[in-house]
Amino acid sequence: MRLLTWNVNGLRSLTQYYPWCEHKNFKTILDTLNADIICFQETKITLERLDTSMAIIPGYDTYFSFAKGKASYSGVAIYVKINSIKPISAEEGISGLLNQSSTIFNQSDQSTTSNQSINNSNITNITSNTSNEYHNNLNFSTEELLNLDSEGRCIILDFKMFVLFNLYCPHTASQERLFFKIQFYKVLLNRVNDLIQAGREIIIMGDMNVTHKEIDHCDPEKFVKEFGLKSFGEHPLRKMFDKLVSPNGPLIDVCRYFHPDEKGIFTCWSTLINARPANYGTRIDYILVSPGLMKWFKSCNIEQSIMGSDHCPVVAELYDTINENGHIYTLKEETNVDGSSTPRLCAKYLPKFMGSQKTLKTFFTRSDEKNDAKLKLILSEQPENNQMENNNIENIELSNQMENEDLVNESLTPSNNDNNDLSVSKELSNTKNISKQTTTSQKSIASNSTKSNVRKTKKKTELEKNQRSLVSFFKQQIPDKISNNDYSIKEKSVSIEEHNQLYQLNQLEELPSDSSDKSQNEESTQQKNIEEIKEIKDNLVENCKEIPTTSFNNNNSETISQWNALFAPRLIPKCKVHNEPCKEYKVNKPGPNQGRRFYLCSRPIGNTKEDQCDFFEWVKGTNKNTSTLKRKNVDKDKEINSRQNKKQ
């Protein structure tokens, strides 16, 4: 049997990286990992975004724990191969209080919750029977314990032979998170000690977010200096971890058990500085086991070649059979739980996958399954029905023609009663109306289809005529053809006021003059006005300035060189040690240099000479933030003036 733990840094994003992007579905990814129990950390998935492609996988039972109220944050998952092993019971959370979710959160329907209490198990006896002692020993309130379990960091499965913990311990990004992490470790230690006292064997797998020894860190001296410690083991989290792992704790680090002095077996690397190629990382992912199970373990290795995350998997193998004091024990017999049902925490029992949870789609579809089946059959037989309808229309028309001919023949035959003649004439008229209706309906359908097609083609042609293509924006615009090549193009720029004056004067010139109705005085005034108009026109024309003609020269070397200089790539310097092109970085830390860019050696960070050197150079043109510097100078001047005033 194989056990695997891996911090995937996003379960959905795993399929975007090579080689996992080449897999058709999530089942093939699990099959290539080739493990019977697969523990994922930092899944960054919520219940709303979880779909069947990741939750309902053939051959596997899945168990999820989600962060409450936080999207794309934390979360753990366990995939168990059904044919290999099966859990008796399952539990979410490190404290055990989430099993009492119906009483804590006052929820009436327990089927809607993802948590299920563990029945017929020693785990329940510890958390339920001694719950008061459990909380009193920790001195934690129920709110604090529920807060620890609100980030989806723990799933516990009982496999009869052992109890499995899948953990994603908190990261210490601040002092508040450091306190939160210490609390989490205290509850974990208390839970492990209670299980061991009850006679249970334990396996802890996951991202513990702690380096145990100096050999597990790429640069322990730098770590000690940054935190201001006297030694590597003085950190409070490392002290807590020492209480969990041997020689001071009850559990054994399986990887160090098989590789006690091996260096460089790291499981996590910083992606910001590209530290993985130089193996400049830390070992924070573990498989911890109680001493009674070590006889079953065959090996434990770190799979650094598996990509897709900033972490790599840790894999442990177990023997199928062992011989102890002449008696042979098999792993299947020790973990055999035939007859027991799958725990309710399994993802297949979630309401959204059982069909009990209503979605928006259900409000717009029929509830009866028979009606749904009929609709599917009707939709699948639509093309055949259309052909049958066309054939039926043709048969109706032929039958109508035949009936008309028969009726005509009957009308020609002698009849004794006049009533028969009337009935025949009525039938003829009815049949004619039916045939007309069928033909007109067909014609209307055909005409409507042709009209719609014509409208579509017209719209397309209009759009094609009016719409400009992308190529037109990059082509050189050809000027309009000039009829007189001897004369240059001259454009006169006239202001708006002058244009209005000319327009008014032209209107005055075009006014009709009736000499018969007007007196001689009026004629003289009109002539004066016309002379004034001509003088104004001449003045305007003389004052207009000519715009010089623009030359359409395609080969303008000056403009081309200027544009090339603007978009030319920046010259990247080379580091002095390796003589290789440097890599550009940007300052994101708040301060006077925020936003500035600089060059560093392109090689990954490490402790050897072949790794990154000390080359540093600011990118030219990225000046400091002058506003912040001015403020600092002003503040300094104020402080100096205030001090001088106080002294005086």
Side-chain angles (χ1 to χ4, degrees):
M1 188 171 69
R2 276 169 59 91
L3 309 177
L4 183 143
T5 177
W6 190 14
N7 184 322
V8 291
N9 194 18
L11 195 61
R12 298 176 71 186
S13 62
L14 180 66
T15 56
Q16 299 175 5
Y17 296 100
Y18 181 83
W20 313 114
C21 58
E22 296 182 350
H23 291 264
K24 294 180 180 178
N25 50 39
F26 205 74
K27 186 182 184 304
T28 58
I29 294 174
L30 297 178
D31 292 339
T32 52
L33 291 173
N34 190 22
D36 300 292
I37 300 174
I38 300 172
C39 296
F40 289 137
Q41 300 87 39
E42 203 171 358
T43 55
K44 294 182 179 180
I45 195 168
T46 58
L47 180 60
E48 291 77 15
R49 293 185 178 182
L50 185 67
D51 55 7
T52 54
S53 64
M54 292 184 178
I56 310 299
I57 298 173
Y60 292 89
D61 281 337
T62 57
Y63 303 86
F64 289 89
S65 180
F66 311 100
K68 280 73 176 173
K70 292 182 180 181
S72 300
Y73 181 77
S74 188
V76 292
I78 301 178
Y79 290 82
V80 181
K81 196 175 284 186
I82 297 170
N83 296 330
S84 301
I85 193 168
K86 186 179 180 181
I88 299 171
S89 53
E91 182 178 305
E92 183 183 8
I94 192 68
S95 66
L97 291 177
L98 291 180
N99 298 317
Q100 307 166 9
S101 58
S102 59
T103 57
I104 292 168
F105 296 105
N106 297 321
Q107 294 178 352
S108 59
D109 188 7
Q110 292 184 3
S111 63
T112 58
T113 61
S114 62
N115 306 309
Q116 182 68 23
S117 61
I118 300 172
N119 297 320
N120 300 322
S121 166
N122 288 333
I123 300 178
T124 346
N125 296 331
I126 293 165
T127 56
S128 61
N129 296 338
T130 61
S131 60
N132 293 326
E133 295 178 1
Y134 185 70
H135 298 305
N136 291 331
N137 291 334
L138 293 172
N139 295 323
F140 290 158
S141 64
T142 54
E143 291 181 359
E144 289 175 338
L145 292 171
L146 289 172
N147 186 32
L148 292 175
D149 289 335
S150 65
E151 295 184 357
R153 295 185 176 274
C154 179
I155 294 177
I156 306 173
L157 299 182
D158 188 357
F159 288 101
K160 181 185 173 181
M161 178 183 170
F162 56 87
V163 178
L164 177 74
F165 286 73
N166 182 15
L167 295 176
Y168 175 46
C169 295
H171 179 65
T172 54
S174 61
Q175 288 294 327
E176 292 180 0
R177 297 300 294 176
L178 177 62
F179 180 71
F180 183 86
K181 190 172 182 178
I182 291 171
Q183 284 184 320
F184 189 88
Y185 265 102
K186 283 182 180 179
V187 177
L188 175 62
L189 278 169
N190 201 353
R191 192 74 187 272
V192 168
N193 289 327
D194 289 341
L195 284 168
I196 290 172
Q197 288 176 6
R200 300 303 308 272
E201 301 292 342
I202 297 171
I203 298 176
I204 293 179
M205 301 168 64
D207 180 4
M208 307 301 289
N209 258 318
V210 174
T211 52
H212 187 206
K213 300 292 183 181
E214 293 184 2
I215 195 173
D216 300 321
H217 201 286
C218 60
D219 197 350
E221 294 178 358
K222 184 180 178 182
F223 177 83
V224 171
K225 288 179 181 178
E226 286 180 354
F227 284 88
L229 303 173
K230 293 180 180 179
S231 63
F232 189 77
E234 279 191 359
H235 197 276
L237 290 174
R238 197 159 290 107
K239 289 180 179 179
M240 294 292 296
F241 194 69
D242 284 336
K243 294 178 182 178
L244 184 67
V245 182
S246 63
N248 300 322
L251 303 179
I252 297 171
D253 184 357
V254 184
C255 186
R256 278 293 167 214
Y257 180 84
F258 290 101
H259 310 279
D261 300 322
E262 187 174 351
K263 296 181 180 180
I265 50 173
F266 303 136
T267 61
C268 181
W269 303 268
S270 175
T271 56
L272 296 174
I273 57 175
N274 191 23
R276 190 162 187 172
N279 196 22
Y280 190 77
T282 54
R283 189 174 76 94
I284 58 176
D285 301 273
Y286 299 88
I287 295 178
L288 308 176
V289 176
S290 56
L293 289 174
M294 282 306 301
K295 59 189 175 183
W296 289 96
F297 278 83
K298 182 180 180 180
S299 64
C300 183
N301 296 303
I302 291 169
E303 302 290 341
Q304 292 184 351
S305 60
I306 296 177
M307 309 298 286
S309 172
D310 56 343
H311 292 246
C312 74
V314 182
V315 182
E317 291 186 12
L318 280 74
Y319 291 107
D320 293 329
T321 59
I322 60 170
N323 188 351
E324 190 177 13
N325 298 326
H327 185 75
I328 297 173
Y329 297 93
T330 60
L331 192 62
K332 283 189 177 181
E333 290 179 358
E334 296 295 324
T335 58
N336 186 15
V337 289
D338 292 337
S340 63
S341 60
T342 307
R344 297 292 296 177
L345 187 65
C346 186
K348 65 183 179 182
Y349 294 122
L350 290 171
K352 67 184 296 184
F353 300 127
M354 289 182 68
S356 59
Q357 183 179 7
K358 287 187 177 182
T359 59
L360 286 172
K361 197 175 182 180
T362 58
F363 292 98
F364 299 98
T365 55
R366 295 182 182 180
S367 59
D368 297 335
E369 294 180 357
K370 293 181 179 179
N371 293 330
D372 294 336
K374 287 180 182 179
L375 284 170
K376 288 179 181 178
L377 288 170
I378 291 164
L379 291 170
S380 62
E381 294 175 357
Q382 269 186 354
E384 296 178 0
N385 292 330
N386 290 332
Q387 292 179 359
M388 293 294 291
E389 286 175 3
N390 293 328
N391 294 327
N392 289 330
I393 291 165
E394 292 176 1
N395 292 326
I396 289 164
E397 288 179 356
L398 290 170
S399 63
N400 288 331
Q401 290 178 3
M402 295 294 290
E403 287 176 2
N404 289 332
E405 290 176 1
D406 293 335
L407 289 168
V408 170
N409 292 326
E410 287 177 5
S411 65
L412 292 171
T413 58
S415 60
N416 296 324
N417 298 323
D418 294 334
N419 293 325
N420 292 328
D421 295 335
L422 291 168
S423 63
V424 168
S425 61
K426 285 179 182 179
E427 287 177 356
L428 280 167
S429 62
N430 289 327
T431 54
K432 286 179 181 179
N433 289 326
I434 291 164
S435 62
K436 283 180 181 179
Q437 287 176 1
T438 55
T439 53
T440 53
S441 63
Q442 287 179 355
K443 287 179 181 179
S444 63
I445 291 163
S447 63
N448 289 327
S449 63
T450 53
K451 284 178 182 178
S452 63
N453 290 327
V454 169
R455 287 173 184 172
K456 287 179 181 178
T457 52
K458 283 182 179 179
K459 286 180 180 179
K460 285 181 180 178
T461 52
E462 288 176 359
L463 287 169
E464 287 175 358
K465 287 180 180 179
N466 297 325
Q467 188 176 3
R468 293 179 68 185
S469 63
L470 285 171
V471 181
S472 63
F473 290 97
F474 298 97
K475 284 183 177 180
Q476 188 174 2
Q477 294 181 356
I478 300 169
D480 298 332
K481 292 182 179 179
I482 301 166
S483 58
N484 297 322
N485 294 324
D486 297 334
Y487 300 99
S488 63
I489 300 165
K490 294 185 179 181
E491 296 177 355
K492 308 225 179 223
S493 62
V494 183
S495 65
I496 296 168
E497 294 178 358
E498 293 171 349
H499 182 272
N500 292 330
Q501 289 177 4
L502 285 170
Y503 180 72
Q504 292 174 0
L505 294 172
N506 287 326
Q507 284 183 341
L508 289 171
E509 286 182 353
E510 291 173 1
L511 288 171
S513 60
D514 298 330
S515 57
S516 59
D517 297 333
K518 294 179 181 180
S519 61
Q520 292 180 356
N521 293 326
E522 290 178 354
E523 289 179 357
S524 61
T525 54
Q526 283 183 2
Q527 287 178 358
K528 288 180 180 178
N529 289 330
I530 289 165
E531 289 176 358
E532 289 177 357
I533 288 164
K534 287 180 179 180
E535 289 178 0
I536 292 166
K537 275 186 178 182
D538 294 334
N539 291 326
L540 286 171
V541 171
E542 287 177 0
N543 292 325
C544 287
K545 295 181 180 179
E546 294 183 359
I547 297 172
T549 59
T550 58
S551 60
F552 301 98
N553 294 326
N554 294 326
N555 298 322
N556 195 343
S557 60
E558 293 182 359
T559 55
I560 291 168
S561 62
Q562 288 175 0
W563 282 107
N564 288 334
L566 283 173
F567 294 101
R570 191 185 291 115
L571 293 174
I572 299 171
K574 294 181 179 180
C575 65
K576 296 178 181 179
V577 178
H578 306 105
N579 198 21
E580 294 176 354
C582 294
K583 192 174 181 180
E584 187 176 335
Y585 295 90
K586 184 181 178 181
V587 179
N588 295 321
K589 187 178 179 181
N593 291 324
Q594 187 177 11
R596 292 190 70 183
R597 296 182 178 275
F598 58 93
Y599 293 110
L600 293 177
C601 180
S602 59
R603 294 198 177 190
I605 293 175
N607 294 324
T608 62
K609 293 181 180 179
E610 295 179 357
D611 298 325
Q612 191 182 73
C613 62
D614 296 333
F615 181 82
F616 176 86
E617 184 178 325
W618 289 108
V619 175
K620 294 180 181 179
T622 57
N623 295 325
K624 293 182 180 181
N625 192 350
T626 55
S627 60
T628 56
L629 290 172
K630 286 179 180 178
R631 288 175 185 173
K632 286 184 178 181
N633 293 328
V634 170
D635 294 335
K636 285 181 180 179
D637 293 337
K638 287 181 179 179
E639 287 179 2
I640 292 166
N641 292 328
S642 62
R643 288 175 183 176
Q644 289 178 355
N645 292 327
K646 286 179 181 179
K647 288 179 181 179
Q648 291 176 358

